[in-house]
Amino acid sequence: MDYVSLDLEWNQAYPEQLEAVQKRLGTRLRGEVIQIGAVKLNADMKIVGSYSVIVRPRFFKRINRHVARLTGITQDMIDEGKPLSEASESFKRWCGDDFAFLTWGPDDIPMLEDNFRAQGIDGGWLRRVYDLQKIYNRQTDGSNKQRSLEFVMEQFGLPQNLPAHDALNDSYFTALVAQKLDVPKGVAEYDLKNDLSDGVLLSDVTGDADVGQAGYRTAYEATHDASVSEPTCPLCGADLSFPDRTVHMKGQKYLRIMVCPEHGKLLLDLRVVRNLNDTFRVRRTIRVLDGATEEKITARLAEEAATPRPRRRRRRPRREIGEAAVTVEQGENE
Ligand SMILES: [Zn+2]
């Protein structure tokens, strides 16, 4: 298998325009890719090729001046760039049949997927991705710090003799860092889901209409979908028991205590976010329950038990109670 180290430059929209375009498309699009840069490493981690293309944006056509200053990419360059459909075809061909992406940080592939979706381009081939930053962390100090590429290159004594913020140069730098790490080992360990480093056992999002999933009609539906709110143990797959119901904390946050016969008390943490098309998505995190959070939940349960709900509400259908009880923030502020 080959590795393709990837870096993108994207054009940042101005805020009013960003809002309008996303609403119109009904899909998440926080910027438009204007350069794809990549370097290919073979199974022996030797550099065997490079790729770079300038892409012509379709929705945010004026180059953002900060982006221009940072990247050196000009309006003329993007005006003459390839349409994304063409660029993606040629890039896909260059990547080949058997490869995995290596990126520095988690942002590049989601950005490319968003761009593909906005233009109806198939992004199914983008799925095999390893965030080299995570592999670096695991193989060095084990922290969750987001080290910059510059920092890591300096640490490894790699000369930065090319300008940064060029997608090709940055993907080349990423490839050099990859050569200093044990990438095959990192890839093998990567898929283990019980990464206990920050106590998170599982983290996922359901109902994200902004990335093409079907959204929930109400916040109540989002938090009471059994496939979301009644998981099995992420560590052993056992059925969990739920001693109490889900409590509604502040704003869009819902918590529930779950018990695994093997792994003890776990915490289900749900956050509801409004999608661009006014449906809802839910971000779910499962972690080991800590004492402070357990106390908060117990206090909240007691509070709810002591305050009888108003009669008016009790007569309304359950779904509306959940709906009325929640205020949801718009957009990407999870
Ligand atoms: Zn378990």
Side-chain angles (χ1 to χ4, degrees):
M1 183 177 73
D2 293 331
Y3 298 101
V4 172
S5 75
L6 170 75
D7 188 69
L8 305 173
E9 302 303 332
W10 56 78
N11 194 21
Q12 212 78 53
Y14 291 101
E16 325 78 61
Q17 195 191 10
L18 183 67
E19 185 78 25
V21 167
Q22 291 191 113
K23 272 279 179 197
R24 179 158 62 79
L25 294 173
T27 187
R28 186 179 67 194
L29 189 68
R30 290 158 303 178
E32 258 194 302
V33 172
I34 52 174
Q35 188 190 11
I36 301 172
V39 165
K40 194 184 282 179
L41 298 138
N42 65 14
D44 301 323
M45 300 307 287
K46 279 214 179 72
I47 291 176
V48 291
S50 69
Y51 181 95
S52 176
V53 65
I54 298 288
V55 181
R56 183 166 74 223
R58 183 156 137 191
F59 306 103
F60 311 131
K61 294 178 182 171
R62 303 300 308 171
I63 189 122
N64 180 301
R65 61 178 181 280
H66 302 293
V67 173
R69 193 175 333 123
L70 196 67
T71 63
I73 296 173
T74 64
Q75 186 67 47
D76 285 348
M77 286 164 74
I78 60 172
D79 285 347
E80 286 161 24
K82 277 193 187 176
L84 185 64
S85 54
E86 256 177 61
S88 66
E89 264 312 305
S90 86
F91 180 47
K92 186 181 176 209
R93 255 197 317 279
W94 177 85
C95 286
D97 295 326
D98 186 22
F99 72 95
F101 285 114
L102 298 175
T103 59
W104 191 260
D107 299 330
D108 291 85
I109 291 289
M111 176 57 74
L112 197 53
E113 285 175 332
D114 289 352
N115 273 247
F116 278 15
R117 190 178 336 97
Q119 298 200 34
I121 300 167
D122 174 38
W125 58 283
L126 302 175
R127 285 206 187 110
R128 192 152 189 206
V129 186
Y130 297 98
D131 179 354
L132 201 61
Q133 205 174 45
K134 281 194 184 163
I135 294 176
Y136 163 84
N137 280 342
R138 196 189 269 267
Q139 292 182 3
T140 55
D141 60 359
S143 75
N144 287 312
K145 289 190 183 121
Q146 300 211 329
R147 296 291 195 195
S148 70
L149 202 48
E150 291 73 25
F151 175 93
V152 174
M153 288 185 71
E154 188 161 325
Q155 186 187 23
F156 285 140
L158 295 165
Q160 294 179 61
N161 44 13
L162 296 166
H165 301 296
D166 168 277
L168 178 58
N169 295 349
D170 285 350
S171 68
Y172 174 65
F173 293 153
T174 305
L176 295 182
V177 168
Q179 289 178 326
K180 295 284 182 187
L181 298 169
D182 188 344
V183 170
K185 180 168 178 271
V187 163
E189 288 170 346
Y190 200 94
D191 300 320
L192 294 178
K193 49 181 173 181
N194 51 349
D195 176 7
L196 289 164
S197 52
D198 57 354
V200 173
L201 306 175
L202 183 145
S203 169
D204 60 12
V205 179
T206 312
D208 191 349
D210 297 358
V211 300
Q213 299 173 356
Y216 294 99
R217 282 178 304 158
T218 62
Y220 184 91
E221 259 183 37
T223 51
H224 289 72
D225 177 349
S227 72
V228 171
S229 64
E230 291 173 17
T232 55
C233 176
L235 291 171
C236 67
D239 285 338
L240 301 172
S241 55
F242 304 90
D244 294 297
R245 50 201 179 76
T246 305
V247 291
H248 179 205
M249 307 303 278
K250 270 185 210 145
Q252 73 229 52
K253 182 171 164 178
Y254 296 80
L255 299 177
R256 189 176 203 183
I257 297 171
M258 315 186 290
V259 183
C260 171
E262 176 75 26
H263 295 101
K265 285 181 183 171
L266 305 177
L267 174 68
L268 176 71
D269 180 326
L270 303 176
R271 312 283 166 115
V272 177
V273 181
R274 190 185 289 271
N275 292 319
L276 289 162
N277 67 3
D278 290 331
T279 59
F280 299 92
R281 65 175 173 271
V282 56
R283 174 178 294 282
R284 169 173 72 172
T285 312
I286 298 176
R287 60 180 80 231
V288 174
L289 181 65
D290 61 280
T293 307
E294 184 171 8
E295 272 173 35
K296 271 189 222 160
I297 294 174
T298 311
R300 187 83 187 94
L301 280 164
E303 220 175 276
E304 284 184 2
T307 335
R309 292 181 183 195
R311 287 179 66 90
R312 187 178 56 80
R313 281 194 175 182
R314 233 182 287 161
R315 271 192 258 116
R316 295 166 69 186
R318 281 173 60 83
R319 181 181 296 143
E320 287 180 40
I321 293 170
E323 201 174 11
V326 67
T327 45
V328 177
E329 286 173 30
Q330 176 106 31
E332 275 307 298
N333 36 17
E334 301 137 81

